[in-house]
Amino acid sequence: MENLWMVLFWTGPIGVGIFLICLGTMIWLLAKADAISKQTKAMTREKGLDKK
């Protein structure tokens, strides 16, 4: 049981893998949100809806 604890603990290979997957997903979602924000700002500037 002690060996299983070391594998499943967050510093073990499975825990590190889950952490990296979550970190990559968060970075991907932030990049996607940034791209959508840039598109929205460009569209509002193009249509003349931006506040001055």
Side-chain angles (χ1 to χ4, degrees):
M1 190 66 180
E2 184 67 29
N3 292 337
L4 189 59
W5 171 253
M6 289 303 292
V7 170
L8 296 176
F9 193 60
W10 90 270
T11 58
I14 295 174
V16 171
I18 291 172
F19 171 75
L20 291 174
I21 288 171
C22 292
L23 182 65
T25 303
M26 185 188 314
I27 291 170
W28 177 72
L29 287 172
L30 287 172
K32 189 172 183 176
D34 186 45
I36 291 172
S37 175
K38 286 180 182 178
Q39 288 175 352
T40 305
K41 286 179 184 177
M43 186 176 60
T44 56
R45 266 189 246 118
E46 180 181 304
K47 292 189 177 203
L49 300 174
D50 58 338
K51 297 177 183 177
K52 293 183 180 180

